[in-house]
Amino acid sequence: AQSVTQPDIHITVSEGASLELRCNYSYGATPYLFWYVQSPGQGLQLLLKYFSGDTLVQGIKGFEAEFKRSQSSFNLRKPSVHWSDAAEYFCAVGVKTSYDKVIFGPGTSLSVIP
Amino acid sequence: KAGVTQTPRYLIKTRGQQVTLSCSPISGHRSVSWYQQTPGQGLQFLFEYFSETQRNKGNFPGRFSGRQFSNSRSEMNVSTLELGDSALYLCASSLGGTTGGEQYFGPGTRLTVT
């Protein structure tokens, strides 16, 4: 069965420090991969997506993610974190079936220390 | 293009009552998915509608139901409310078909059951 894991429940970083959020998935084929961000009390916003091609994808707000097929991973990175990046981050896998099926990870909560 | 809208944004109901939540997808999007988000269970998939037909359903009791209209707007109904139904209910729209699940979320409806 398909699944998504985000090993880190909560991460705290200092403002200006680099960030890497981990995501691993379980799926038999090459999936579509997404990262979403959710600010408190808000809906989810799509940060970036990987469908095919270049395994390093750029997203909004200075985020990037790298797809590594051999490790079944899709880690999210940002070189310098801003206080406004504090939020919940969800990794998701889109499964190619006859219809849209998206599986979300449990989320990683990011705190930023000024 | 207008984003996904959800009404109402906040709702307080009493145990045993029923509630209807509404979602208007992005223009041109034919798929609408509903999610329940709670601190303990995270993001859980309720169901997905495409062209007025339910295509996919999560593991929720029959008290949770939905429908989609010809203009792609969707409603979700919860009957006989329980305290545990208190949650943020998120609606997401996508083009549908086999797009791999790139979804766009609304701001959510915060339901409190007392």
Side-chain angles (χ1 to χ4, degrees):
Chain A
Q2 306 94 2
S3 65
V4 180
T5 55
Q6 294 179 247
D8 304 304
I9 296 173
H10 185 258
I11 284 182
T12 300
V13 299
S14 297
E15 190 168 18
S18 64
L19 172 70
E20 182 170 28
L21 301 182
R22 296 182 292 164
C23 172
N24 293 95
Y25 67 89
S26 173
Y27 180 51
T30 300
Y32 297 139
L33 296 163
F34 310 90
W35 274 99
Y36 288 85
V37 61
Q38 183 181 32
S39 298
Q42 300 298 313
L44 278 67
Q45 181 184 19
L46 181 65
L47 277 177
L48 48 77
K49 61 192 178 189
Y50 170 79
F51 281 5
S52 65
D54 193 347
T55 57
L56 184 64
V57 294
Q58 303 297 319
I60 62 172
K61 305 185 180 187
F63 285 93
E64 67 176 27
E66 185 173 13
F67 169 55
K68 292 186 177 180
R69 185 191 308 274
S70 62
Q71 299 177 18
S72 296
S73 69
F74 188 58
N75 294 348
L76 182 71
R77 300 194 293 250
K78 187 170 185 178
S80 179
V81 171
H82 188 262
W83 64 266
S84 60
D85 293 325
E88 188 87 15
Y89 290 81
F90 294 91
C91 180
V93 168
V95 175
K96 301 174 188 177
T97 68
S98 58
Y99 54 86
D100 288 346
K101 181 178 178 181
V102 181
I103 301 165
F104 284 86
T108 296
S109 176
L110 174 66
S111 297
V112 180
I113 300 173
Chain B
K1 209 180 247 189
V4 179
T5 59
Q6 291 187 247
T7 56
R9 292 292 312 278
Y10 303 91
L11 206 50
I12 300 175
K13 289 287 188 178
T14 303
R15 192 169 47 182
Q17 288 185 315
Q18 76 164 16
V19 66
T20 299
L21 312 181
S22 180
C23 172
S24 293
I26 292 173
S27 178
H29 284 193
R30 297 167 64 190
S31 172
V32 173
S33 297
W34 288 89
Y35 296 85
Q36 182 195 66
Q37 187 178 32
T38 59
Q41 299 297 317
L43 200 61
Q44 292 186 286
F45 172 74
L46 280 156
F47 31 65
E48 185 236 356
Y49 285 86
F50 178 79
S51 292
E52 302 178 64
T53 300
Q54 185 182 92
R55 290 197 302 190
N56 197 11
K57 189 177 187 301
N59 189 27
F60 277 81
R63 299 186 296 108
F64 292 81
S65 63
R67 60 177 175 170
Q68 186 180 34
F69 301 95
S70 59
N71 62 357
S72 293
R73 189 177 71 84
S74 176
E75 288 183 347
M76 188 193 92
N77 185 275
V78 187
S79 62
T80 318
L81 284 166
E82 301 177 0
L83 295 178
D85 296 334
S86 294
L88 181 67
Y89 289 88
L90 294 165
C91 161
S93 78
S94 66
L95 286 169
T98 56
T99 59
E102 181 176 345
Q103 298 184 330
Y104 295 85
F105 284 79
T109 294
R110 172 74 62 186
L111 172 64
T112 302
V113 182
T114 62

